[in-house]
Amino acid sequence: MGGLGDVLPVPARVRPVPAAACTIGPGTAVRAAPGTAAVAEQLATVLRAATGYPVPVQPGLSVSAAAGGGAVRLVLEDGHGDEGYRLDVRADAVTVAAQTPAGLFAAVQTVRQLMPVAGAGDAVLPGGVIEDRPRFAYRGAMLDLARHYFTPDEVRSYIDAIAQFKINHLHLHLTDDQGWRLEIAGWPRLTEVSGGPGTGVDGAGPGFLTAAGYAELVAYAADRFVTVVPEIDMPGHVNAVQVAYPELTRDGAAVAARTDRAVGYSSLCVDREQTYAFVEDVIREVAALTPGPYLHIGGDEADATSAEDYRTFLHRVLPLVAKYGKRAIGWHEVAAVEPPGTVVPQFWRTAADDAGVARAVAGGCQVIMSPADRTYLDMKYDADSPLGLDWAGLLDVARAYDWDPATRLPGVGEQDLLGVEAPLWSETLRSLTDVQTMTFPRLPAIAEVAWSPQAARDWDAFRRRLAAFGPRWTAQGIAYHRSPEIPWV
Ligand code: TNX
């Protein structure tokens, strides 16, 4: 049995009381206070898997220990913040308290890691108290479905895998030069043509989400307290749009499909009204399918759009996002147009400073930190990595872990950060196994950067906790890179 604090990401406060360990036995039940039934069922599922016992869920607050094992109760109470929780393990009972179901769900992820991987018979929860809450509200991962499409089942499996580390946003990069992956009412050729056979990098990543399939995915994520953030990349990265609809090009001439990895060569026509009719249809549709607060409009690498056109375009499009009730996120290039304070620039480059982002922060914007040399899961681990790119350098686990987002950019401090995200671009990926191998174990490093207080983080302690997690991935059927930096058990 590990210690009470042997959890990824490390909890904010841990007070072990070894004598208070609690045995989950054949009589253990989960008692669900009003409003906690759904998470109680998730907790019971964890305890059943760890023990093989029935672990019924019972409504009510009584903590009277049933024969053969303590009761586990879930309660909602103030004082824990939006996603914080308190886990109190005593010899005769366990209490999980939070202000919200999201906080209870975070606690369940902690309990899951404190239980055996999969077991038969009594299991022991280490005694003591954890009081935990996130450093940042936005803790994200991103999957690129455009360069290579991943099916709803694959994305669901990714959601399951990342939610264990208290990642609470999944950004889906749905469109790019090589493909368009979300069905849009009124514009069927986007997916018929640019989601069809031969799309994706090397033509090896065809497929698309139907509107209904996307909505199901969003609901599945929401059940795991993960908010989907859809990205429609514009005004650049639009070759797939123009292949499907040549009327959206300057001269209306047919456009050749592209399956190479180049960037920065395509642009929507900023001075044509038809462009904005298209963009508004897409934004309205995506907003209607997405209950979460964010809509990502890309805005990166628009090298085929002049600076003046880029400004004109964004000043038309940012209000459309607001019109349909969403808060816009854009890659940090959007900071160049002095966006309103509700817009969230996502910093992705490797430079030591960025005047545009600092100016946006001074203007009231919050920032998502995704510096490529720390968070890009598509960078190679080391020179021998068979998958991935290396334009931002090699990214081993220590590099992903050992940085502080609040000191990364001058003029962008702790209070200016909405959070941290780890993007996974898919130019070199062909399968879910590829995705998993690039994601793990670096995503838990980023999750700890985003969740745990800076003062509670320590590389050596993290390596040991990570090493102990290896068998869990194996038991879950998740591939991971056995980085030589980690003393795997
Ligand atoms: C840069 S990061 C891009 C993507 C590529 C990625 C590969 C960003 C906003 N744009 O178009 O896929 O590098 O690492």
Side-chain angles (χ1 to χ4, degrees):
M1 183 182 75
L4 183 64
D6 290 342
V7 175
L8 297 165
V10 70
R13 266 206 299 281
V14 180
R15 189 153 33 85
V17 183
C22 180
T23 299
I24 306 299
T28 297
V30 175
R31 303 270 161 74
T36 71
V39 183
E41 201 47 58
Q42 291 168 319
L43 175 57
T45 302
V46 164
L47 300 181
R48 288 170 196 145
T51 61
Y53 296 142
V55 194
V57 176
Q58 302 163 350
L61 284 168
S62 154
V63 195
S64 64
V72 181
R73 65 173 195 158
L74 288 178
V75 297
L76 290 172
E77 63 182 30
D78 285 346
H80 301 284
D82 283 346
E83 296 177 276
Y85 66 91
R86 184 173 200 271
L87 172 66
D88 186 346
V89 181
R90 304 182 187 196
D92 59 343
V94 176
T95 305
V96 180
Q99 196 167 306
T100 64
L104 293 176
F105 182 81
V108 171
Q109 304 320 305
T110 295
V111 170
R112 184 176 180 188
Q113 291 186 32
L114 294 173
M115 290 271 92
V117 180
D122 288 6
V124 176
L125 264 183
V129 178
I130 291 179
E131 280 174 289
D132 201 7
R133 59 175 67 195
R135 178 178 179 188
F136 298 116
Y138 186 110
R139 305 174 304 281
M142 188 206 85
L143 263 186
D144 174 4
L145 268 54
R147 273 58 171 270
H148 189 284
Y149 175 70
F150 298 97
T151 66
D153 278 345
E154 291 171 328
V155 179
R156 277 190 272 274
S157 137
Y158 199 64
I159 291 167
D160 289 340
I162 67 178
Q164 297 184 78
F165 304 105
K166 302 183 173 79
I167 294 291
N168 66 348
H169 288 79
L170 177 64
H171 168 183
L172 294 178
H173 183 76
L174 293 166
T175 72
D176 213 302
D177 290 310
Q178 303 89 342
W180 183 287
R181 309 300 179 192
L182 176 62
E183 180 187 34
I184 301 291
W187 298 84
R189 289 175 57 82
L190 289 171
T191 42
E192 284 168 14
V193 174
S194 290
T199 62
V201 166
D202 298 339
F208 65 88
L209 296 167
T210 63
Y214 171 80
E216 277 171 29
L217 209 50
V218 168
Y220 183 91
D223 286 344
R224 287 144 189 85
F225 298 89
V226 171
T227 300
V228 169
V229 179
E231 179 187 349
I232 305 295
D233 204 348
M234 52 189 149
H237 292 275
V238 294
N239 195 68
V241 173
Q242 293 170 331
V243 170
Y245 290 98
E247 57 265 45
L248 291 173
T249 63
R250 182 149 309 286
D251 55 9
V255 172
R258 295 274 297 253
T259 59
D260 58 285
R261 301 179 190 179
V263 297
Y265 57 84
S266 61
S267 178
L268 291 172
C269 299
V270 165
D271 47 10
R272 302 215 2 226
E273 278 313 302
Q274 210 178 354
T275 294
Y276 301 99
F278 165 73
V279 169
E280 182 159 2
D281 280 354
V282 171
I283 288 176
R284 187 196 317 105
E285 185 71 10
V286 174
L289 291 171
T290 305
Y294 303 111
L295 200 158
H296 199 307
I297 49 120
D300 58 316
E301 300 172 320
D303 302 338
T305 316
S306 73
E308 192 193 337
D309 279 359
Y310 186 80
R311 173 177 294 271
T312 303
F313 180 81
L314 280 180
H315 283 169
R316 287 278 304 260
V317 169
L318 288 173
L320 292 176
V321 178
K323 176 176 173 185
Y324 293 102
K326 299 300 171 190
R327 184 172 178 191
I329 304 177
W331 298 108
H332 69 259
E333 286 95 323
V334 303
V337 312
E338 280 103 36
T342 51
V343 172
V344 182
Q346 179 171 9
F347 177 73
W348 64 273
R349 286 208 185 269
T350 59
D353 51 37
D354 189 283
V357 175
R359 212 176 337 103
V361 161
C365 292
Q366 283 189 297
V367 172
I368 295 172
M369 274 290 169
S370 301
D373 56 341
R374 300 289 188 177
T375 69
Y376 267 34
L377 301 177
D378 64 315
M379 291 301 120
K380 290 177 180 289
Y381 286 91
D382 55 48
D384 296 331
S385 294
L387 303 171
L389 307 174
D390 60 6
W391 66 262
L394 301 172
L395 181 48
D396 61 16
V397 185
R399 238 188 118 62
Y401 185 80
D402 220 351
W403 63 292
D404 180 356
T407 60
R408 180 61 181 75
L409 282 182
V412 185
E414 182 93 11
Q415 300 310 314
D416 307 317
L417 296 179
L418 184 62
V420 180
E421 179 182 296
L424 178 54
W425 303 95
S426 60
E427 288 95 329
T428 67
L429 310 181
R430 295 292 177 270
S431 66
L432 182 61
T433 301
D434 289 352
V435 165
Q436 293 168 341
T437 307
M438 297 309 273
T439 301
F440 302 112
R442 288 180 294 194
L443 186 67
I446 303 297
E448 189 155 312
V449 169
W451 175 281
S452 307
Q454 185 70 16
R457 299 210 290 118
D458 174 76
W459 165 244
D460 267 322
F462 174 74
R463 287 167 71 216
R464 282 194 298 277
R465 281 178 285 115
L466 192 56
F469 203 94
R472 287 178 190 275
W473 278 316
T474 303
Q476 293 171 6
I478 294 176
Y480 65 100
H481 173 63
R482 285 183 70 89
S483 160
E485 309 156 82
I486 309 302
W488 299 106
V489 298

